[in-house]
């Protein structure tokens, strides 16, 4: 799977947009980018995923660069409940021994402050 | 209605015991997983399983064995528990496409906190 790199921590003011970057320079053409988050003591929660085009859902937006080497997760109006560790993941795209496995890195610890 | 449910939520047991953690999903997914999250909060995949094959992370001791009575269940059996097995264990499920790519989100259970004393 493509290695992803994220900053270890970020702060964001409540009500402001939180922009979480992720580098995945080794991503291959058929590997999606997934974002998950883990709120303290809970199981990881899916946020969004994309391949080439930007994506938006009720939780967030995902901006993927044209060369697909990096992406940014945007929480448009962060709330205190968005405080969590956010994981950017690019699982293997080809059918094989580890197909579909989500390999979690260290993620970015986002702290939303009042 | 909980999508992925694990029982028990907490498990305290002595070294050397054998224990099981149950996991059930009601999403109709074809693939289930077990993850371990240690005290440093790293999430590591242990197993993935669908009706075709079991994929084992080679670092997982053979004291750990998943058992799937049917597509909706993947239970985790642990023999001869050790202190280092203390962690939070998460079950998850997803649907694999025909190309083996996870193209829908994975749902995780709320975790089972295992403490070995």
């Amino acid at each position: 799977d493509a290695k992803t790199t994220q900053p270890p921590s970020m702060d964001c003011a409540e009500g402001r947009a939180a922009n979480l970057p992720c580098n995945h320079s080794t991503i291959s053409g058929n590997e999606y980018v997934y974002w998950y988050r883990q709120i303290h003591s809970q199981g990881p929660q899916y946020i969004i995923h994309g391949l080439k085009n930007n994506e938006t859902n009720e939780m967030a937006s995902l901006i993927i660069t044209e060369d697909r080497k990096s992406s940014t997760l945007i929480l448009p109006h962060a709330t205190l409940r968005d405080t969590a560790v956010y994981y950017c993941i690019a699982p293997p795209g080809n059918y094989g021994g580890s197909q579909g496995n989500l390999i979690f890195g260290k993620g970015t610890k986002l702290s939303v402050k009042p | 209605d909980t999508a992925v449910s694990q029982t028990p939520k907490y498990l305290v047991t002595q070294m050397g015991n054998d224990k099981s953690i149950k996991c059930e999903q009601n999403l109709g997914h074809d693939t289930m997983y077990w993850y371990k999250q240690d005290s440093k909060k790293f999430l590591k995949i242990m197993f993935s399983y669908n009706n075709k094959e079991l994929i084992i992370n080679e670092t997982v001791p053979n004291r750990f064995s998943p058992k799937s009575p049917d597509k909706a269940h993947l239970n985790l059996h642990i023999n001869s528990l050790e202190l280092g097995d203390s962690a939070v264990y998460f079950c998850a499920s997803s649907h694999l496409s025909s190309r083996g790519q996870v193209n829908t989100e994975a749902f995780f259970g709320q975790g089972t906190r295992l403490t070995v004393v």
Side-chain angles (χ1 to χ4, degrees):
Chain A
D1 57 318
K3 180 177 169 58
T4 61
T5 305
Q6 300 177 253
S9 64
M10 291 182 64
D11 289 343
C12 178
E14 188 179 18
R16 304 297 293 269
N19 298 292
L20 293 99
C22 178
N23 288 324
H24 31 78
S25 57
T26 61
I27 197 169
S28 64
N30 61 352
E31 288 177 344
Y32 285 74
V33 178
Y34 285 78
W35 283 83
Y36 282 76
R37 73 180 181 182
Q38 186 175 25
I39 296 170
H40 180 63
S41 296
Q42 297 183 20
Q45 177 190 21
Y46 166 84
I47 301 173
I48 199 167
H49 74 283
L51 184 63
K52 296 179 183 178
N53 300 321
N54 298 336
E55 302 287 344
T56 296
N57 63 20
E58 64 277 5
M59 288 183 69
S61 295
L62 176 60
I63 307 299
I64 303 174
T65 58
E66 193 169 339
D67 62 8
R68 302 214 323 124
K69 293 185 185 299
S70 65
S71 60
T72 301
L73 179 75
I74 301 172
L75 306 179
H77 305 287
T79 70
L80 298 179
R81 287 177 294 181
D82 291 322
T83 293
V85 179
Y86 286 77
Y87 298 96
C88 169
I89 304 168
N94 296 318
Y95 188 88
S98 58
Q99 71 276 15
N101 289 352
L102 296 170
I103 308 298
F104 289 81
K106 297 180 182 179
T108 295
K109 184 175 173 61
L110 175 69
S111 298
V112 180
K113 299 181 184 300
Chain B
D1 198 17
T2 305
V4 180
S5 59
Q6 299 177 225
T7 54
K9 189 172 181 180
Y10 300 96
L11 181 56
V12 181
T13 187
Q14 291 186 327
M15 279 195 305
N17 284 350
D18 302 338
K19 289 294 178 184
S20 296
I21 305 172
K22 295 185 177 180
C23 179
E24 176 182 6
Q25 55 97 2
N26 61 7
L27 299 165
H29 286 161
D30 57 13
T31 304
M32 296 184 71
Y33 311 82
W34 277 103
Y35 284 81
K36 176 182 180 181
Q37 188 166 40
D38 60 23
S39 57
K40 295 182 179 179
K41 303 298 184 184
F42 292 128
L43 264 166
K44 295 181 181 177
I45 189 164
M46 302 176 70
F47 306 99
S48 66
Y49 180 80
N50 65 20
N51 57 7
K52 297 174 183 174
E53 59 186 323
L54 170 68
I55 306 299
I56 303 172
N57 184 325
E58 61 272 13
T59 65
V60 175
N62 57 15
R63 297 181 295 104
F64 290 78
S65 58
K67 299 263 190 326
S68 180
D70 55 60
K71 287 178 68 172
H73 297 82
L74 185 68
N75 303 324
L76 182 64
H77 296 272
I78 315 170
N79 295 326
S80 303
L81 277 155
E82 300 177 358
L83 293 176
D85 297 332
S86 296
V88 181
Y89 293 83
F90 290 99
C91 176
S93 71
S94 69
H95 177 69
L96 283 183
S97 74
S98 59
R99 290 177 55 243
Q101 172 67 267
V102 174
N103 61 3
T104 60
E105 61 265 37
F107 286 79
F108 285 76
Q110 287 305 297
T112 296
R113 181 174 294 277
L114 171 65
T115 304
V116 183
V117 297

